């Protein structure tokens, strides 16, 4: 009988490899940790700087309390409360299943709608608009 050895090679960032070595964490456990889903706020933080992130926290707390399954009375969906009147039910359901897609969409919307020379991301400007008008 032929025996085959399977070797799984993980390519981890150097800092993470160092942590694994220092803490002597078994590599299998490390793989399990890396497979855990990321929280929506952590995902958004990774996409913004600290100032913008603080504005985003306040803005999306006002909109949905960061609930990726939120649906408003006016049929706005997800964390950023995207208005989707011309989308199919399947498209709306797919959007509600993915907090990462919602965050990406919301950040792109803010950048497209509110960015300026003073606020390249548009996030804090979107929050200011929300304070003035009650929506963004």
């Amino acid at each position: 009988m032929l025996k085959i050895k399977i070797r799984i090679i993980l390519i981890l960032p150097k800092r993470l490899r160092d942590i694994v070595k220092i803490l002597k964490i078994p590599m299998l456990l490390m793989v399990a940790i890396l497979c855990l889903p990321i929280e929506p706020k952590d995902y958004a933080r990774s996409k913004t700087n600290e100032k913008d992130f603080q504005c985003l926290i306040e803005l999306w707390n006002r909109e949905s309390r960061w609930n990726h399954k939120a649906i408003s009375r006016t049929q706005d969906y997800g964390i950023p409360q995207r208005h989707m009147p011309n989308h199919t039910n399947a498209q709306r359901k797919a959007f509600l299943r993915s907090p990462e897609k919602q965050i990406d969409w919301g950040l792109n919307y803010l950048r497209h709608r509110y960015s300026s020379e003073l606020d390249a991301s548009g996030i804090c400007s979107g929050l200011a608009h929300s304070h003035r008008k009650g929506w963004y």
Side-chain angles (χ1 to χ4, degrees):
M1 179 181 235
L2 181 64
K3 287 188 177 182
I4 300 173
K5 267 191 175 178
I6 298 175
R7 187 173 194 189
I8 299 173
I9 299 172
L10 286 177
I11 300 171
L12 301 173
K14 183 180 181 337
R15 189 170 175 203
L16 192 54
R17 283 193 310 254
D18 293 343
I19 292 169
V20 169
K21 285 179 188 175
I22 291 168
L23 298 178
K24 298 180 181 171
I25 298 172
M27 193 54 72
L28 187 57
L29 178 60
M30 196 64 214
V31 170
I33 291 169
L34 290 173
C35 292
L36 291 174
I38 187 169
E39 290 294 316
K41 285 182 185 175
D42 294 329
Y43 180 77
R45 177 182 274 125
S46 74
K47 302 277 188 174
T48 61
N49 64 40
E50 192 57 35
K51 178 182 178 267
D52 288 341
F53 182 66
Q54 293 307 314
C55 290
L56 193 63
I57 289 283
E58 185 177 344
L59 178 62
W60 287 348
N61 274 343
R62 291 168 57 98
E63 292 296 318
S64 66
R65 300 222 186 288
W66 289 81
N67 178 0
H68 71 279
K69 296 179 182 180
I71 303 173
S72 73
R73 294 184 318 260
T74 56
Q75 301 300 300
D76 301 314
Y77 295 86
I79 294 167
Q81 289 293 277
R82 178 181 180 184
H83 195 59
M84 302 176 74
N86 299 322
H87 292 75
T88 66
N89 282 336
Q91 289 170 320
R92 289 184 200 109
K93 286 179 183 177
F95 185 73
L96 286 173
R97 279 193 299 272
S98 176
E100 292 85 5
K101 185 183 286 188
Q102 293 174 24
I103 289 166
D104 290 340
W105 180 90
L107 292 174
N108 286 331
Y109 172 80
L110 287 161
R111 186 172 23 262
H112 176 75
R113 175 101 188 220
Y114 297 104
S115 68
S116 66
E117 288 183 22
L118 299 175
D119 182 8
S121 71
I123 295 170
C124 293
S125 298
L127 174 62
H129 184 274
S130 177
H131 281 298
R132 285 191 311 275
K133 302 283 188 176
W135 54 273
Y136 77 105

